[in-house]
Amino acid sequence: MTALTLQDAIVRAEAGRARATELGVAMNIAIVDASGYLLHFSRMDDAELGPVDIAIKKAATAALFRRPSAAIGEDSQPGGPLYNIEITNGGLVSFGGGLPIADERGRTIGAVGVSGGTVPQDVTVAEACLM
């Protein structure tokens, strides 16, 4: 796969929704392309509205920096090399739930962002989207 397609994004979001259902948590799942632009979004029934923006920004963070959003969080603590990075790029999210999607050669072709549960639940659902 050289590019993330809409169909692939839909399949990934469905895998995430299935995992969220197993956890019993209504989630917001965003899939973005390699540039961090929204490709597909899924809000489960009864999912909170506040996490909609968080899911999209987690995905964009993971795509733009080609690493998990939680890794940005580790480096953005006071005194860290990326302190205050959250205010760049129209706003980033620097805690778990955003994961890059790579092709078979390891190149980032997009990312997933999940929000609506605890951070560990968000990460678990995001991992399910990587299939």
Side-chain angles (χ1 to χ4, degrees), residues 8 10 12-13 29 34 56 64 90 93 96 109 111 113 115 120 128:
D8 185 50
I10 291 168
R12 289 172 184 276
I29 302 170
I56 295 168
L64 293 172
V93 174
I109 57 170
S115 189

Side-chain angles (χ1 to χ4, degrees), residues 8-56:
D8 185 50
I10 291 168
V11 169
R12 289 172 184 276
E14 288 174 357
R17 283 196 311 271
R19 185 68 179 113
T21 299
E22 290 172 5
L23 295 173
V25 181
M27 297 282 196
N28 296 284
I29 302 170
I31 310 283
V32 300
D33 64 16
S35 299
Y37 286 101
L38 189 62
L39 181 60
H40 180 71
F41 187 84
S42 178
R43 181 169 58 92
M44 295 174 67
D45 292 341
D46 298 321
E48 294 178 347
L49 298 177
V52 168
D53 185 57
I54 295 169
I56 295 168

Side-chain angles (χ1 to χ4, degrees), residues 52-120:
V52 168
D53 185 57
I54 295 169
I56 295 168
K57 287 183 178 173
K58 283 181 182 183
T61 300
L64 293 172
F65 292 93
R66 299 179 187 157
R67 56 187 177 148
S69 56
I72 298 294
E74 293 169 13
D75 290 338
S76 65
Q77 298 301 308
L82 299 178
Y83 182 62
N84 274 339
I85 196 168
E86 296 90 351
I87 63 173
T88 69
N89 294 284
L92 302 173
V93 174
S94 60
F95 49 90
L99 296 173
I101 298 170
D103 67 9
E104 61 280 348
R105 293 174 44 195
R107 296 176 301 186
T108 299
I109 57 170
V112 58
V114 177
S115 189
T118 65
V119 171

